[in-house]
Amino acid sequence: MHELSIAQNLAELAIEAAKHTGMKRVHALHLKLGVLSGVVKEALEFSFDVVIEGTLLEGAKLIIEDIPVKVFCPACQEAHVLSEPFPMRCPVCGTKTSQVLEGREMELFSLKGV
Ligand SMILES: [Zn+2]
């Protein structure tokens, strides 16, 4: 399962970060997840709970913030956030665009703990 290896990488990254900052216990991890990242949120949450067992992350909550798709419209010469990832058109003028600026990323952005 794709999400399991992602969860493992994420847990390793978080454990490293926690050790680095001297955290003994992590309560929550905040993750930014682009809607085009291809990661199934529920599967990631489930896998995460499994992989953190017995680590210093045990019991930590995974808090996922969805990052919407932001495209650059060549006609408007502007970036626009799409309310739905598809179709990939400028929401202002309707021009098709494939220039995705945001929405594909997965980024661990904070840890809460003691
Ligand atoms: Zn446009």
Side-chain angles (χ1 to χ4, degrees):
M1 195 163 82
H2 180 58
E3 278 73 13
L4 189 59
S5 58
I6 294 171
Q8 251 153 4
N9 289 339
L10 186 64
E12 279 166 22
L13 198 69
I15 289 167
E16 274 307 303
K19 281 182 182 165
H20 205 72
T21 51
M23 274 184 204
K24 299 269 183 295
R25 198 101 208 130
V26 177
H27 301 311
L29 277 89
H30 291 252
L31 184 73
K32 290 186 179 180
L33 190 65
V35 297
L36 294 178
S37 64
V39 176
V40 181
K41 206 156 82 165
E42 291 72 22
L44 182 63
E45 286 168 339
F46 177 80
S47 303
F48 184 75
D49 285 345
V50 174
V51 300
I52 62 173
E53 267 181 45
T55 74
L56 72 86
L57 299 178
E58 189 166 342
K61 259 185 92 62
L62 183 61
I63 298 162
I64 298 173
E65 185 193 334
D66 293 312
I67 304 299
V69 180
K70 191 192 256 183
V71 294
F72 182 79
C73 172
C76 301
Q77 290 289 305
E78 262 180 27
H80 296 290
V81 171
L82 305 186
S83 53
E84 295 288 331
F86 299 104
M88 240 174 250
R89 285 173 189 276
C90 173
V92 176
C93 70
T95 302
K96 276 190 190 167
T97 174
S98 55
Q99 297 182 55
V100 178
L101 302 176
E102 286 175 16
R104 288 196 175 116
E105 65 273 58
M106 190 183 83
E107 185 195 342
L108 180 65
F109 75 97
S110 77
L111 288 179
K112 296 272 184 307
V114 287

Short mmCIF file of all heavy atoms in Angstrom, two decimals, residues 8-36:
data_model
loop_
_atom_site.label_atom_id
_atom_site.label_comp_id
_atom_site.label_asym_id
_atom_site.label_seq_id
_atom_site.Cartn_x
_atom_site.Cartn_y
_atom_site.Cartn_z
N GLN A 8 5.25 5.80 6.87
CA GLN A 8 6.52 5.43 7.48
C GLN A 8 7.55 6.56 7.33
O GLN A 8 8.22 6.92 8.29
CB GLN A 8 7.08 4.17 6.81
CG GLN A 8 7.01 2.97 7.73
CD GLN A 8 6.90 1.66 6.98
OE1 GLN A 8 6.96 1.63 5.75
NE2 GLN A 8 6.74 0.58 7.70
N ASN A 9 7.63 7.10 6.13
CA ASN A 9 8.56 8.22 5.89
C ASN A 9 8.21 9.42 6.75
O ASN A 9 9.08 10.07 7.32
CB ASN A 9 8.51 8.65 4.42
CG ASN A 9 9.14 7.63 3.51
OD1 ASN A 9 9.95 6.79 3.94
ND2 ASN A 9 8.78 7.66 2.25
N LEU A 10 6.93 9.67 6.82
CA LEU A 10 6.44 10.80 7.60
C LEU A 10 6.78 10.62 9.08
O LEU A 10 7.26 11.55 9.74
CB LEU A 10 4.92 10.88 7.41
CG LEU A 10 4.19 12.06 8.00
CD1 LEU A 10 4.67 13.33 7.32
CD2 LEU A 10 2.70 11.88 7.81
N ALA A 11 6.57 9.42 9.59
CA ALA A 11 6.87 9.12 10.99
C ALA A 11 8.36 9.28 11.27
O ALA A 11 8.75 9.87 12.27
CB ALA A 11 6.40 7.72 11.34
N GLU A 12 9.19 8.79 10.34
CA GLU A 12 10.64 8.92 10.52
C GLU A 12 11.06 10.38 10.57
O GLU A 12 11.87 10.79 11.40
CB GLU A 12 11.38 8.21 9.37
CG GLU A 12 11.47 6.71 9.59
CD GLU A 12 11.89 5.95 8.35
OE1 GLU A 12 12.50 6.57 7.45
OE2 GLU A 12 11.57 4.75 8.27
N LEU A 13 10.49 11.13 9.65
CA LEU A 13 10.79 12.56 9.57
C LEU A 13 10.38 13.26 10.87
O LEU A 13 11.13 14.08 11.42
CB LEU A 13 9.98 13.13 8.40
CG LEU A 13 10.38 14.46 7.83
CD1 LEU A 13 11.71 14.32 7.11
CD2 LEU A 13 9.32 14.94 6.83
N ALA A 14 9.19 12.92 11.37
CA ALA A 14 8.67 13.53 12.59
C ALA A 14 9.49 13.12 13.81
O ALA A 14 9.74 13.95 14.69
CB ALA A 14 7.20 13.14 12.77
N ILE A 15 9.92 11.87 13.85
CA ILE A 15 10.73 11.40 14.98
C ILE A 15 12.07 12.15 15.00
O ILE A 15 12.52 12.61 16.04
CB ILE A 15 10.94 9.87 14.91
CG1 ILE A 15 9.62 9.16 15.23
CG2 ILE A 15 12.03 9.41 15.88
CD1 ILE A 15 9.60 7.67 14.91
N GLU A 16 12.67 12.29 13.82
CA GLU A 16 13.91 13.05 13.70
C GLU A 16 13.73 14.48 14.20
O GLU A 16 14.54 14.98 14.98
CB GLU A 16 14.36 13.10 12.23
CG GLU A 16 15.18 11.91 11.80
CD GLU A 16 16.38 11.66 12.71
OE1 GLU A 16 17.19 12.59 12.86
OE2 GLU A 16 16.47 10.56 13.29
N ALA A 17 12.66 15.10 13.73
CA ALA A 17 12.38 16.49 14.11
C ALA A 17 12.13 16.61 15.61
O ALA A 17 12.59 17.56 16.25
CB ALA A 17 11.18 17.02 13.32
N ALA A 18 11.41 15.65 16.16
CA ALA A 18 11.10 15.67 17.59
C ALA A 18 12.38 15.52 18.42
O ALA A 18 12.59 16.25 19.39
CB ALA A 18 10.11 14.56 17.94
N LYS A 19 13.25 14.59 18.00
CA LYS A 19 14.52 14.39 18.70
C LYS A 19 15.37 15.64 18.64
O LYS A 19 16.00 16.04 19.61
CB LYS A 19 15.29 13.23 18.05
CG LYS A 19 14.78 11.87 18.48
CD LYS A 19 15.61 10.78 17.83
CE LYS A 19 15.11 9.40 18.20
NZ LYS A 19 15.68 8.38 17.29
N HIS A 20 15.35 16.24 17.47
CA HIS A 20 16.14 17.43 17.22
C HIS A 20 15.75 18.57 18.15
O HIS A 20 16.59 19.34 18.60
CB HIS A 20 15.91 17.86 15.77
CG HIS A 20 17.02 18.66 15.21
ND1 HIS A 20 18.23 18.10 14.89
CD2 HIS A 20 17.11 19.98 14.91
CE1 HIS A 20 19.02 19.06 14.43
NE2 HIS A 20 18.38 20.19 14.43
N THR A 21 14.45 18.68 18.43
CA THR A 21 13.98 19.77 19.28
C THR A 21 13.83 19.32 20.74
O THR A 21 13.34 20.08 21.58
CB THR A 21 12.62 20.32 18.77
OG1 THR A 21 11.73 19.22 18.59
CG2 THR A 21 12.78 21.04 17.45
N GLY A 22 14.23 18.09 21.02
CA GLY A 22 14.21 17.61 22.39
C GLY A 22 12.83 17.24 22.93
O GLY A 22 12.61 17.23 24.13
N MET A 23 11.90 16.93 22.04
CA MET A 23 10.56 16.53 22.47
C MET A 23 10.58 15.09 22.98
O MET A 23 11.19 14.22 22.38
CB MET A 23 9.58 16.59 21.29
CG MET A 23 8.96 17.92 21.06
SD MET A 23 7.75 17.79 19.70
CE MET A 23 7.74 19.47 19.13
N LYS A 24 9.88 14.90 24.08
CA LYS A 24 9.80 13.55 24.64
C LYS A 24 8.55 12.84 24.14
O LYS A 24 8.47 11.62 24.09
CB LYS A 24 9.74 13.63 26.18
CG LYS A 24 10.96 14.28 26.79
CD LYS A 24 12.04 13.24 27.12
CE LYS A 24 13.24 13.89 27.79
NZ LYS A 24 13.95 14.83 26.91
N ARG A 25 7.57 13.63 23.85
CA ARG A 25 6.26 13.09 23.50
C ARG A 25 5.64 14.02 22.47
O ARG A 25 5.64 15.23 22.66
CB ARG A 25 5.40 13.08 24.78
CG ARG A 25 4.23 12.19 24.71
CD ARG A 25 4.50 10.86 25.45
NE ARG A 25 3.68 9.83 24.81
CZ ARG A 25 4.15 8.66 24.42
NH1 ARG A 25 5.39 8.34 24.61
NH2 ARG A 25 3.36 7.79 23.83
N VAL A 26 5.13 13.45 21.42
CA VAL A 26 4.48 14.27 20.40
C VAL A 26 2.97 14.07 20.48
O VAL A 26 2.50 12.94 20.53
CB VAL A 26 5.01 13.90 18.99
CG1 VAL A 26 4.29 14.69 17.91
CG2 VAL A 26 6.51 14.14 18.90
N HIS A 27 2.25 15.17 20.55
CA HIS A 27 0.79 15.07 20.64
C HIS A 27 0.12 15.16 19.27
O HIS A 27 -0.90 14.56 19.03
CB HIS A 27 0.22 16.18 21.52
CG HIS A 27 0.74 16.16 22.90
ND1 HIS A 27 0.77 15.02 23.67
CD2 HIS A 27 1.30 17.13 23.67
CE1 HIS A 27 1.31 15.30 24.84
NE2 HIS A 27 1.65 16.57 24.86
N ALA A 28 0.71 15.98 18.42
CA ALA A 28 0.07 16.19 17.12
C ALA A 28 1.07 16.56 16.05
O ALA A 28 2.09 17.19 16.32
CB ALA A 28 -0.99 17.28 17.24
N LEU A 29 0.78 16.11 14.86
CA LEU A 29 1.58 16.46 13.70
C LEU A 29 0.66 17.18 12.73
O LEU A 29 -0.44 16.70 12.46
CB LEU A 29 2.03 15.21 12.95
CG LEU A 29 3.25 14.46 13.42
CD1 LEU A 29 2.85 13.44 14.43
CD2 LEU A 29 3.88 13.78 12.22
N HIS A 30 1.13 18.28 12.22
CA HIS A 30 0.33 19.00 11.23
C HIS A 30 0.95 18.78 9.86
O HIS A 30 2.15 18.97 9.67
CB HIS A 30 0.29 20.49 11.55
CG HIS A 30 -0.51 20.79 12.78
ND1 HIS A 30 -1.74 21.38 12.74
CD2 HIS A 30 -0.25 20.53 14.08
CE1 HIS A 30 -2.21 21.49 13.97
NE2 HIS A 30 -1.32 20.98 14.80
N LEU A 31 0.10 18.40 8.97
CA LEU A 31 0.56 18.06 7.63
C LEU A 31 -0.25 18.83 6.61
O LEU A 31 -1.47 18.92 6.71
CB LEU A 31 0.34 16.55 7.44
CG LEU A 31 0.83 15.93 6.15
CD1 LEU A 31 2.35 15.85 6.15
CD2 LEU A 31 0.24 14.53 5.98
N LYS A 32 0.45 19.37 5.62
CA LYS A 32 -0.24 20.00 4.50
C LYS A 32 -0.28 19.00 3.37
O LYS A 32 0.76 18.44 3.00
CB LYS A 32 0.50 21.26 4.05
CG LYS A 32 0.41 22.38 5.04
CD LYS A 32 1.04 23.65 4.49
CE LYS A 32 0.90 24.77 5.52
NZ LYS A 32 1.48 26.01 5.05
N LEU A 33 -1.45 18.78 2.86
CA LEU A 33 -1.61 17.77 1.83
C LEU A 33 -2.36 18.36 0.64
O LEU A 33 -3.52 18.75 0.73
CB LEU A 33 -2.38 16.58 2.42
CG LEU A 33 -2.45 15.32 1.60
CD1 LEU A 33 -1.07 14.69 1.43
CD2 LEU A 33 -3.38 14.31 2.24
N GLY A 34 -1.66 18.43 -0.47
CA GLY A 34 -2.28 18.95 -1.69
C GLY A 34 -3.35 17.99 -2.19
O GLY A 34 -3.18 16.78 -2.09
N VAL A 35 -4.43 18.54 -2.73
CA VAL A 35 -5.52 17.67 -3.20
C VAL A 35 -5.09 16.86 -4.43
O VAL A 35 -5.73 15.88 -4.77
CB VAL A 35 -6.83 18.45 -3.49
CG1 VAL A 35 -7.38 19.07 -2.22
CG2 VAL A 35 -6.63 19.52 -4.55
N LEU A 36 -3.99 17.26 -5.07
CA LEU A 36 -3.49 16.48 -6.21
C LEU A 36 -2.31 15.58 -5.83
O LEU A 36 -1.65 15.02 -6.69
CB LEU A 36 -3.01 17.43 -7.33
CG LEU A 36 -4.05 18.28 -8.03
CD1 LEU A 36 -3.35 19.17 -9.06
CD2 LEU A 36 -5.10 17.43 -8.71
#
